[in-house]
């Protein structure tokens, strides 16, 4: 089996190991917020596909992402092209039932921007679900590379450029460096700092912490 086929089976296919993990996490979300189907949810840094595939879909979803919105958006969703760490007033003044974010916090660009992201989470709603991969899980989740997150930047860049299981193929050193510098996995101390009044849930694989989820359910 070639590396791209292997990644497809591990991460990208609908029946992949990673897809099953996401499904279990979605079920955890609905157990945590049993009224999710009636909520107005803002998804910071997410994509519409998360909710079109969801077994339980909120009544309304507002997706905020730096990417251009898709051509077609269902009537239960609204998509804004904006920076979750620097929300325009038209979004910042809104109030929602729940702030949701999945695997975004590790990509926002450093401590100061993570503080601003957390401030947006706390401002937009009383309830939140903010998930991020755990730094000390032995497999780096974006490249599926053992221990990659513990290497110096120079070596991480070399891995990103050559490792065949990466999430975005990179052919140049600069492109690989860009991906590496925009990926910074977090640990428990950081998550508790950004979300001091939240419960910190731990998603485990084979008994090992794989991701951290800051949850507030007042």
């Amino acid at each position: 089996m070639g590396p791209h086929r292997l990644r497809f089976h591990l991460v990208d296919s609908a029946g992949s190991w990673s897809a099953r993990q996401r499904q279990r996490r979605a079920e955890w979300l609905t157990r945590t917020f049993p009224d999710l189907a009636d909520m107005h949810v803002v998804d910071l840094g997410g994509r519409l596909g998360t909710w079109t595939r969801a077994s339980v879909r909120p009544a309304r979803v507002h997706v905020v992402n730096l990417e251009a919105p898709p051509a077609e958006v269902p009537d239960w969703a609204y998509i804004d092209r904006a920076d979750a760490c620097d929300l325009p007033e038209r979004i910042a003044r809104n109030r929602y039932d729940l702030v949701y974010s999945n695997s975004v916090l590790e990509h926002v660009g450093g401590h100061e921007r993570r503080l601003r992201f957390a401030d947006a989470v706390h401002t937009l709603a009383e309830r939140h679900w903010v998930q991020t991969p755990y730094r000390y899980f032995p497999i780096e989740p974006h490249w599926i590379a053992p221990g990659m997150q513990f290497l110096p930047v120079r070596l991480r860049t070399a891995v990103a450029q050559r490792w065949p299981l990466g999430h975005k193929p990179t052919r140049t050193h600069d492109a690989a460096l860009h991906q590496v510098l925009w990926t910074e996995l977090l640990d428990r101390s950081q998550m508790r700092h950004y979300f001091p009044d939240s419960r910190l849930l731990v998603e485990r694989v084979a008994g090992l912490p794989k991701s951290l989820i800051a949850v507030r359910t007042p």
Side-chain angles (χ1 to χ4, degrees), residues 98-177:
L98 175 70
V99 177
Y100 174 89
S101 180
N102 187 75
S103 295
V104 173
L105 189 59
E106 72 273 20
H107 295 300
V108 299
H111 172 63
E112 191 272 337
R113 282 179 55 81
R114 287 193 292 269
L115 285 172
R116 290 160 62 183
F117 185 94
D119 184 60
V121 170
H122 295 132
T123 299
L124 292 171
E126 292 187 2
R127 292 177 281 189
H128 57 249
W129 172 283
V130 179
Q131 181 271 353
T132 191
Y134 180 51
R135 174 173 172 77
Y136 294 106
F137 188 68
I139 307 296
E140 204 293 330
H142 303 88
W143 284 273
I144 319 179
M148 176 183 171
Q149 65 270 38
F150 307 121
L151 298 175
V153 169
R154 178 177 61 85
L155 293 181
R156 275 186 281 156
T157 301
V159 172
Q161 189 172 356
R162 296 172 177 83
W163 188 251
L165 299 180
H167 61 308
K168 291 181 181 178
T170 50
R171 301 186 182 215
T172 69
H173 175 273
D174 286 347
L177 179 61

Side-chain angles (χ1 to χ4, degrees), residues 3 8 11 19 47 59 71 93 109 145 151 164 168 174-175 180 197-198:
F8 180 77
V11 177
R47 291 186 173 96
R93 65 170 175 254
L151 298 175
K168 291 181 181 178
D174 286 347
V180 164
D197 299 321
S198 308

Side-chain angles (χ1 to χ4, degrees), residues 2-211:
H4 298 297
R5 192 71 182 162
L6 177 59
R7 180 179 174 88
F8 180 77
H9 283 290
L10 287 174
V11 177
D12 295 331
S13 75
S16 68
W17 174 85
S18 184
R20 293 193 296 274
Q21 288 294 118
R22 289 192 294 269
Q23 179 59 34
R24 282 194 285 270
R25 193 182 304 147
E27 292 168 357
W28 198 359
L29 173 69
T30 57
R31 290 195 303 271
T32 305
F33 299 99
D35 55 342
L36 181 66
D38 300 319
M39 286 184 173
H40 185 190
V41 174
V42 59
D43 183 343
L44 297 182
R47 291 186 173 96
L48 183 61
T50 298
W51 304 106
T52 57
R53 295 188 300 266
S55 57
V56 178
R57 193 185 70 223
R60 289 183 292 164
V61 177
H62 186 176
V63 176
V64 178
N65 198 310
L66 291 172
E67 299 174 352
E72 296 185 8
V73 178
D75 58 8
W76 48 265
Y78 182 70
I79 299 183
D80 251 314
R81 189 173 190 177
D83 184 350
C85 301
D86 188 18
L87 291 173
E89 180 59 25
R90 70 177 187 277
I91 301 174
R93 65 170 175 254
N94 293 337
R95 295 298 174 266
Y96 302 85
D97 298 315
L98 175 70
V99 177
Y100 174 89
S101 180
N102 187 75
S103 295
V104 173
L105 189 59
E106 72 273 20
H107 295 300
V108 299
H111 172 63
E112 191 272 337
R113 282 179 55 81
R114 287 193 292 269
L115 285 172
R116 290 160 62 183
F117 185 94
D119 184 60
V121 170
H122 295 132
T123 299
L124 292 171
E126 292 187 2
R127 292 177 281 189
H128 57 249
W129 172 283
V130 179
Q131 181 271 353
T132 191
Y134 180 51
R135 174 173 172 77
Y136 294 106
F137 188 68
I139 307 296
E140 204 293 330
H142 303 88
W143 284 273
I144 319 179
M148 176 183 171
Q149 65 270 38
F150 307 121
L151 298 175
V153 169
R154 178 177 61 85
L155 293 181
R156 275 186 281 156
T157 301
V159 172
Q161 189 172 356
R162 296 172 177 83
W163 188 251
L165 299 180
H167 61 308
K168 291 181 181 178
T170 50
R171 301 186 182 215
T172 69
H173 175 273
D174 286 347
L177 179 61
H178 177 80
Q179 286 189 20
V180 164
L181 293 178
W182 276 99
T183 304
E184 185 178 355
L185 302 184
L186 282 71
D187 64 16
R188 298 180 199 226
S189 296
Q190 289 168 293
M191 285 293 280
R192 289 193 180 105
H193 178 69
Y194 299 130
F195 303 99
D197 299 321
S198 308
R199 283 189 298 145
L200 192 61
L201 307 181
V202 180
E203 181 184 25
R204 296 180 182 272
V205 171
L208 299 175
K210 178 184 178 292
S211 72

